[in-house]
Amino acid sequence: MEAAAAAAGAGSARGSRGGIRVLKRNMKRNGSRNFLNRRSRFGSREREWLKEDVGRGCVYIYGADSATSTSSDLHLVLCTVDTLASEICDGEGRENLYLQLHGDLVRRLEPTEKPLQIVYEYLAGLGFEDLVRIQEEAANSDLSCMIRFYNEKPCQVEQLDRILLSGVYSVRKGKTQLHKWAERLVILCGTCLIVSSVKDCHTGKMHILPLVGGKVEEVKRRQHSLAFSSAGAQAQTYHVCFEMLSEYQRWHRQASTVVSQRLSTVDLSCYSLEEVPEHLFYSQDITYLNLRHNFMRLDGSGGLDSLCRFSQLKGLNLSHNMLGELPILLCEISTLTELNISCNGVLHLPSQIGNLFNLQTLCLDGNFLTSLPEELGNLQQLCSLGLSFNNFSEVPVVCEKLTALDKLAMAGNQLETLNLGVLNRMSHIRYVDLRLNHLRRLSVDSLEGNKSVTHMDLRDNQLTDLDLSFLGCLEQLHCERNQLRELTLSGFSLRALYANTNCLMTINVYPVPSLLTCLEISRNQLLCIPDWACEAKKLEVLDMSYNLLTELPSRTLSILSLRKLMVGHNHVQSLPPLLEHIPLEVLDLQHNLITKLPEMFFFKALNLRCLNVSANSLESLPSVCPGEESLSVLQLLYLTNNNLTDLCIPDLVGHPNLRVLHLANNQLQTFPASKLSKLEQLEELNLSGNKLKTIPTTIANCKQLHTLIAHSNEISIFPEILHLPRIQFVDLSCNELTEIMIPEVLPATLQELDLTGNTNLVLEHKTLDIFSHISTLKIDAKPSLTADSALSSMLWNHGLAEMAGQRNKLCVSALALGSFADSVEAVYGMFDGDKNEELPRLLQCTMADVLLEEVQQSNIDSVFMCNTFLVSHRKLGMAGQKLGSSAVLCCIRHDATDLAGSFTLTLANVGTCEAILCRSGKPLPLSKVFSLEQYPEEARRVKEQKAIITEEECLKGFSKRVLGFWGEFYFVWCDYFLLIFYIRNSGLV
């Protein structure tokens, strides 16, 4: 924004508006197709004019039907940052100019708005800083996929269908043959069908047929005909005959949607509307009207001031309409029970809001409110009031008068101190949501206990101590991601406590919470499991991972109700003696110091279904039910990164229900064939990083196996896995394979086969043809023997390893260039398209070229990496708008001041991809994690844009940080991919 402001200042300083001419060049004259693809078609006069001032530039004006950049009515308009939209309209001979961002909604520009300044601010907001570069980017026709101007308002046919369908058709009234067919004007708008005379359609009689709850049926005796019927005892029917099949289908589709509704609801959201269609007012049965994400105006025949014409309107959604204020006339719709004006930049509410006596739900989230009018207290039926993501510094006093209100929702405001006495004066409040404020302390002005609040959410604040013992009825508390050192609660009604990611050393709960079922206090500084937690008789989930535990109390393992215990990433050295039955179903002990499990462990833990003891120091496993038939129900067993040897294999046979077995990075040399044959239920087997020379042929007995990972062993014979009916993923990379025995028919389920790193393996063309149906076949490419490649290979080696995750489909592409720009520099990247393959592959092919061009333009690391991502964002065009791709890019270059010396690694990332540097055996994160939890700047950025972050951490009305993507999305946690650098040479700085 500063760069754009500077550009605007430069434009105004170097030439007054009176001396600026708006130059127009009709693209038809030079051939629009060639011109759009080649910016060199600017004439010398235009180029010289642009060079004189960075505040000068051009905008592309499209016609209403310009679906592509080659449309014949495209115009290029040269202007300055001071040129008004009205001036361009005068030059174009048009009344209005329209703006579309990222292929989404279209809004009409005000006459005083400045199109080129809008483009400059847009580019500066993306990240471009240099004014000359902003001027160049603004003149790039590819930018139209991100920001585009129209001389007429474009509208897609699909949108028109949903708003209003109309035409002159043959119509017959009634179900019998008594009435004749006649030409009539037919309109389908809102919830009704309107039939009128063609000649007197505006003055004559209109027949209005309510459709909600009625029928729309095909008329079999007449081609392309539909019968529309209303509901009720006095139902009427109209037969309409369409001339074309496409029209018939459009009307049938839209009418079917209307008649299937239980309520009279009309959804006109996301249509770029400025007013509702006039014919909509004939649908007097409308009770719910959704106008979300439009540009509704106050005045006009269909403006907001006219909505009072709906006599039965109960629900109205006007969120995301850039209103700036709540229209006073809306406060006269006394029938309203629900009103949503979220995300409209509203600064204050009119006092007339108190006239909506029937209002039960009022959503004011995502505005700029600092106070509420006293008249709001008149709404005694109001039970839901959304005040989240505004600018309140304290709880509005008027909330104390709303006796029906049961939830105080004020997340994302400016509260620094909360007087808990306010909650006592709001005896009707049960749910308190104060997430993402600036709370540093809670004060109490009286010792009186509170008996109303049952749920409190204080996540993502700055609290250091928290005492809520006076909340005697508190059932659930969220206080994650604060700076808490001590926490005190009442245990009378407590059912769930979530206090992850704090600095807790002490948690006091009195009395013992007899109703507690869930306790999550991971990522703190606790030295032991609290005594009161061990006495909670109904506790089902206990998460104390990432603390400082050194031991587990024996009574913890014996809690009869406990189903899930997570104590990974602590300092536990051993488990306590097991005196009785262990009811656990899930036990996570990973990343501790355990050397041995109790001998009777599996005999006592008969309900255990998942056990994770990875990253410990185990050398053996306890046996299972000695001398008896196994009763084990264990299904998931993770033993990665221990010291297990072949002696542990017989003990695995005692778990016949195993579906997932991970034994990677141990000391295995053999896997007995007789033992593997008994694990018939295996679906996923990981044996990587051992010293295995073969995989037994009895693996053919594992008919359910779909994933085999055995890279980094000494396997020389290809295992007999291609006979398995469900095999999908096979990783045998970095072994000593020499040949592959291929059956006559490969399993149709096989999707990926990784054979890289087998230096002695040679595949014939016949073999490659057999594998041609596999979506991913990884083999080593034969290296070229040029001198340059030999030199670069001495400096940089790279490889790729993948691990099956939770996704059904992996859409990842990698970029690896050990000789970037024909030198000894290197570029590495990873692109994750989530569920689409197109964008990662496109980035894989183009980003290196973009990077090279940017490096040549600027030697400043931060500039060329940032611009590489921004240009790639633009180049993805329409393909990226609704999909997007995460990316991480690393460039290893010579120091610009010492080309013969050390190298510098420059990294940039966006989305969920990360990069980690491994130095001296320690991981060093290099990239940023763009999550609200781990990146405070991201949370601040989201709040400034007035996005609404729900309790599930979903973002509404906000664009996520991925290349190419625009539009609404829901923020979800997903797998992420790591680019890991292992540097042996200390010359990397």
Side-chain angles (χ1 to χ4, degrees):
M1 293 303 181
E2 294 176 359
S12 59
R14 300 181 186 181
S16 63
R17 182 175 301 173
I20 294 297
R21 291 185 301 157
V22 179
L23 302 179
K24 171 184 170 184
R25 177 181 294 273
N26 192 322
M27 304 301 293
K28 296 178 182 178
R29 187 173 64 196
N30 290 328
S32 61
R33 182 184 301 272
N34 294 332
F35 186 91
L36 287 174
N37 293 331
R38 297 176 59 190
R39 284 165 47 188
S40 61
R41 292 300 299 272
F42 272 105
S44 59
R45 181 166 64 99
E46 287 86 350
R47 288 197 298 269
E48 290 300 323
W49 187 78
L50 291 175
K51 289 180 180 179
E52 293 176 2
D53 191 342
V54 293
R56 297 176 179 179
C58 68
V59 292
Y60 293 89
I61 310 295
Y62 290 78
D65 58 346
S66 299
T68 65
S69 60
T70 60
S71 179
S72 59
D73 57 352
L74 176 63
H75 291 71
L76 170 67
V77 177
L78 298 179
C79 56
T80 75
V81 292
D82 290 324
T83 304
L84 302 177
S86 59
E87 296 180 64
I88 296 180
C89 289
D90 293 340
E92 288 283 304
R94 301 283 183 176
E95 294 184 1
N96 296 298
L97 197 63
Y98 296 87
L99 171 65
Q100 182 183 41
L101 296 180
H102 44 80
D104 195 13
L105 302 187
V106 180
R107 74 173 179 90
R108 181 173 59 180
L109 292 179
E110 297 295 337
T112 56
E113 291 189 84
K114 304 171 183 178
L116 186 59
Q117 185 181 27
I118 292 175
V119 176
Y120 275 28
E121 291 177 351
Y122 181 90
L123 292 170
L126 281 181
F128 287 105
E129 299 177 353
D130 181 69
L131 297 181
V132 176
R133 182 59 185 270
I134 289 178
Q135 185 185 45
E136 294 176 356
E137 288 292 322
N140 196 315
S141 62
D142 289 346
L143 195 66
S144 62
C145 67
M146 301 161 64
I147 181 169
R148 176 181 292 195
F149 297 94
Y150 290 92
N151 55 28
E152 294 182 47
K153 184 178 179 180
C155 191
Q156 299 179 357
V157 176
E158 294 79 6
Q159 290 188 345
L160 292 174
D161 288 353
R162 291 181 58 189
I163 296 175
L164 183 146
L165 288 176
S166 66
V168 177
Y169 306 108
S170 294
V171 178
R172 190 189 73 191
K173 183 180 180 181
K175 297 181 179 181
T176 67
Q177 302 291 334
L178 298 178
H179 295 83
K180 296 182 179 181
W181 292 88
E183 295 291 319
R184 294 288 183 265
L185 175 64
V186 185
I187 298 174
L188 177 60
C189 183
T191 62
C192 68
L193 186 76
I194 304 172
V195 181
S196 62
S197 170
V198 177
K199 182 178 180 181
D200 303 319
C201 59
H202 297 291
T203 58
K205 182 179 180 181
M206 291 186 179
H207 299 269
I208 301 173
L209 186 71
L211 292 179
V212 175
K215 296 179 180 180
V216 55
E217 300 172 310
E218 178 185 0
V219 180
K220 297 182 179 180
R221 295 184 179 181
R222 194 178 181 97
Q223 189 178 25
H224 303 160
S225 296
L226 292 174
F228 299 88
S229 302
S230 59
Q234 302 297 326
Q236 291 183 319
T237 300
Y238 280 91
H239 292 73
V240 181
C241 180
F242 303 94
E243 296 181 358
M244 301 173 59
L245 176 62
S246 59
E247 287 183 312
Y248 164 84
Q249 292 174 337
R250 288 166 55 193
W251 282 74
H252 193 198
R253 180 172 58 249
Q254 182 60 18
S256 298
T257 302
V258 176
V259 299
S260 63
Q261 296 177 172
R262 293 184 177 180
L263 300 174
S264 299
T265 302
V266 175
D267 184 0
L268 298 180
S269 60
C270 304
Y271 282 144
S272 302
L273 293 177
E274 295 182 1
E275 57 184 33
V276 298
E278 178 65 25
H279 288 90
L280 189 67
F281 293 103
Y282 292 105
S283 302
Q284 281 300 309
D285 60 339
I286 292 179
T287 55
Y288 292 90
L289 180 59
N290 185 1
L291 294 171
R292 182 184 65 86
H293 215 173
N294 284 292
F295 303 102
M296 295 297 298
R297 296 178 177 267
L298 297 180
D299 50 5
S301 60
L304 295 181
D305 288 345
S306 61
L307 295 185
C308 56
R309 294 167 59 183
F310 293 111
S311 59
Q312 301 185 41
L313 192 61
K314 294 183 178 181
L316 178 60
N317 188 342
L318 288 171
S319 60
H320 296 89
N321 266 277
M322 301 175 62
L323 297 179
E325 61 181 359
L326 175 62
I328 295 179
L329 285 181
L330 292 182
C331 299
E332 297 181 4
I333 309 178
S334 58
T335 56
L336 280 180
T337 60
E338 298 180 17
L339 177 60
N340 188 340
I341 56 171
S342 301
C343 302
N344 272 295
V346 177
L347 295 173
H348 64 273
L349 293 180
S351 58
Q352 290 84 347
I353 189 72
N355 296 334
L356 299 175
F357 298 107
N358 293 312
L359 207 60
Q360 300 175 14
T361 300
L362 177 59
C363 296
L364 302 171
D365 305 312
N367 285 292
F368 297 94
L369 297 171
T370 57
S371 62
L372 297 177
E374 293 183 4
E375 290 78 4
L376 195 69
N378 298 336
L379 309 183
Q380 291 302 299
Q381 296 188 45
L382 193 67
C383 57
S384 177
L385 175 62
L387 300 176
S388 297
F389 299 94
N390 280 278
N391 296 332
F392 291 99
S393 58
E394 59 183 5
V395 178
V397 178
V398 70
C399 291
E400 300 177 16
K401 301 179 181 179
L402 301 174
T403 56
L405 196 67
D406 68 345
K407 182 175 182 179
L408 178 63
M410 295 190 64
N413 279 278
Q414 310 293 331
L415 276 70
E416 295 185 0
T417 301
L418 175 65
N419 186 344
L420 295 176
V422 173
L423 300 181
N424 287 335
R425 294 193 294 272
M426 302 169 64
S427 58
H428 44 283
I429 294 295
R430 297 181 60 235
Y431 299 84
V432 178
D433 182 1
L434 297 174
R435 295 172 296 121
L436 290 160
N437 276 274
H438 305 295
L439 289 173
R440 290 182 171 83
R441 70 185 189 93
L442 305 182
S443 61
V444 182
D445 56 7
S446 69
L447 299 177
E448 182 183 357
N450 183 289
K451 298 182 180 180
S452 62
V453 176
T454 59
H455 293 72
M456 178 166 283
D457 195 337
L458 298 171
R459 282 176 285 181
D460 300 288
N461 280 284
Q462 302 168 28
L463 297 168
T464 56
D465 295 286
L466 184 60
D467 186 349
L468 296 178
S469 56
F470 84 107
L471 298 179
C473 294
L474 187 65
E475 297 179 6
Q476 178 176 296
L477 173 64
H478 278 281
C479 57
E480 301 98 305
R481 295 178 296 281
N482 279 272
Q483 302 166 22
L484 294 175
R485 297 187 298 268
E486 185 173 357
L487 176 62
T488 303
L489 300 172
S490 168
F492 283 109
S493 303
L494 192 63
R495 296 177 182 271
L497 171 59
Y498 306 92
N500 302 330
T501 316
N502 281 284
C503 306
L504 287 170
M505 301 179 66
T506 304
I507 302 179
N508 303 310
V509 178
Y510 181 82
V512 173
S514 59
L515 301 176
L516 186 67
T517 60
C518 182
L519 177 59
E520 296 187 7
I521 46 178
S522 66
R523 298 183 184 275
N524 281 284
Q525 299 178 17
L526 296 166
L527 298 174
C528 61
I529 296 178
D531 291 336
W532 54 265
C534 299
E535 299 175 8
K537 301 303 182 182
K538 293 187 178 182
L539 188 62
E540 296 179 3
V541 178
L542 174 58
D543 184 358
M544 291 201 62
S545 55
Y546 292 94
N547 275 283
L548 304 175
L549 305 182
T550 57
E551 61 180 2
L552 297 179
S554 57
R555 54 181 178 166
T556 302
L557 298 177
S558 301
I559 299 177
L560 295 179
S561 59
L562 194 61
R563 296 293 178 263
K564 186 175 182 179
L565 176 61
M566 304 174 69
V567 289
H569 298 271
N570 280 282
H571 305 297
V572 177
Q573 299 182 9
S574 62
L575 296 184
L578 306 179
L579 303 178
E580 53 189 53
H581 172 68
I582 301 176
L584 286 174
E585 296 179 3
V586 178
L587 177 59
D588 186 351
L589 298 167
Q590 63 177 307
H591 290 269
N592 277 287
L593 305 173
I594 300 174
T595 58
K596 186 179 181 181
L597 293 176
E599 187 63 32
M600 301 296 290
F601 178 76
F602 289 119
F603 184 75
K604 298 286 187 178
L606 293 179
N607 295 332
L608 197 63
R609 300 181 183 275
C610 176
L611 173 64
N612 190 342
V613 284
S614 297
N616 279 280
S617 301
L618 294 177
E619 297 182 356
S620 62
L621 295 176
S623 58
V624 182
C625 302
E628 300 179 11
E629 183 179 352
S630 174
L631 299 177
S632 172
V633 295
L634 191 67
Q635 297 180 9
L636 290 78
L637 179 58
Y638 301 94
L639 300 167
T640 298
N641 198 15
N642 279 284
N643 299 318
L644 297 172
T645 64
D646 302 350
L647 298 177
C648 75
I649 302 299
D651 296 319
L652 297 175
V653 179
H655 305 286
N657 297 302
L658 274 181
R659 295 189 293 107
V660 177
L661 175 60
H662 285 202
L663 281 165
N665 299 328
N666 280 283
Q667 306 296 324
L668 302 180
Q669 295 185 1
T670 60
F671 201 117
S674 59
K675 307 303 180 183
L676 183 58
S677 63
K678 295 182 180 181
L679 300 177
E680 297 180 353
Q681 302 301 319
L682 271 184
E683 298 177 9
E684 182 177 316
L685 177 61
N686 190 338
L687 299 171
S688 302
N690 284 283
K691 301 178 182 179
L692 297 174
K693 298 185 182 301
T694 62
I695 292 181
T697 58
T698 52
I699 196 173
N701 290 350
C702 304
K703 302 296 184 182
Q704 308 299 320
L705 193 70
H706 59 71
T707 299
L708 173 64
I709 305 175
H711 67 76
S712 306
N713 279 282
E714 301 173 6
I715 300 172
S716 58
I717 301 175
F718 193 84
E720 297 184 10
I721 53 175
L722 299 182
H723 296 280
L724 297 176
R726 298 189 178 183
I727 193 69
Q728 298 179 14
F729 179 86
V730 179
D731 184 356
L732 291 169
S733 59
C734 301
N735 278 285
E736 298 179 3
L737 296 175
T738 57
E739 61 179 352
I740 300 178
M741 301 299 294
I742 304 176
E744 296 181 359
V745 179
L746 289 178
T749 55
L750 185 61
Q751 299 178 7
E752 184 166 337
L753 176 60
D754 191 347
L755 300 174
T756 56
N758 290 276
T759 56
N760 297 323
L761 180 62
V762 178
L763 298 180
E764 300 177 351
H765 289 289
K766 181 179 179 181
T767 304
L768 294 176
D769 290 340
I770 296 176
F771 287 126
S772 60
H773 78 282
I774 301 177
S775 58
T776 304
L777 173 63
K778 298 180 181 180
I779 57 176
D780 290 326
K782 298 301 179 182
S784 59
L785 300 178
T786 62
D788 291 341
S789 64
L791 177 62
S792 63
S793 64
M794 294 175 60
L795 289 174
W796 315 110
N797 289 319
H798 56 259
L800 176 65
E802 296 179 357
M803 181 66 181
Q806 301 300 318
R807 298 185 187 175
N808 295 326
K809 186 177 183 181
L810 192 63
C811 302
V812 176
S813 293
L815 173 66
L817 299 176
S819 55
F820 177 60
D822 298 325
S823 68
V824 293
E825 299 179 348
V827 171
Y828 298 99
M830 187 77 73
F831 314 109
D832 173 22
D834 193 11
K835 296 180 180 179
N836 78 88
E837 298 176 341
E838 178 183 0
L839 296 189
R841 292 178 180 175
L842 184 59
L843 290 170
Q844 181 187 31
C845 298
T846 60
M847 187 165 271
D849 295 333
V850 175
L851 176 62
L852 180 59
E853 182 177 347
E854 294 298 331
V855 168
Q856 294 172 349
Q857 291 189 27
S858 173
N859 246 342
I860 304 176
D861 292 350
S862 60
V863 172
F864 74 71
M865 288 296 277
C866 178
N867 288 350
T868 296
F869 272 63
L870 294 175
V871 172
S872 297
H873 179 77
R874 166 171 57 79
K875 284 184 174 293
L876 288 177
M878 305 293 287
Q881 284 184 354
K882 301 302 181 183
L883 300 174
S885 176
S886 298
V888 58
L889 187 68
C890 303
C891 183
I892 303 176
R893 304 178 63 231
H894 275 297
D895 191 329
T897 61
D898 184 12
L899 297 179
S902 59
F903 289 84
T904 300
L905 185 151
T906 306
L907 180 139
N909 77 299
V910 65
T912 55
C913 292
E914 298 183 47
I916 292 178
L917 174 66
C918 181
R919 171 170 280 174
S920 301
K922 302 294 183 180
L924 176 64
L926 300 179
S927 53
K928 294 180 179 179
V929 180
F930 298 103
S931 70
L932 303 183
E933 293 182 345
Q934 304 180 45
Y935 193 37
E937 289 79 3
E938 183 72 0
R940 189 180 307 115
R941 183 177 74 98
V942 170
K943 289 177 63 176
E944 289 175 354
Q945 297 297 324
K946 291 302 176 182
I948 299 175
I949 308 173
T950 69
E951 294 180 3
E952 295 77 21
E953 294 177 328
C954 300
L955 305 185
K956 293 185 177 180
F958 196 79
S959 298
K960 64 180 177 180
R961 281 185 177 267
V962 290
L963 287 179
F965 181 89
W966 295 94
E968 288 196 359
F969 84 104
Y970 293 92
F971 186 86
V972 296
W973 294 111
C974 60
D975 297 340
Y976 59 84
F977 300 90
L978 299 180
L979 188 61
I980 301 178
F981 292 89
Y982 182 76
I983 306 299
R984 298 183 180 180
N985 189 340
S986 58
L988 180 69
V989 295

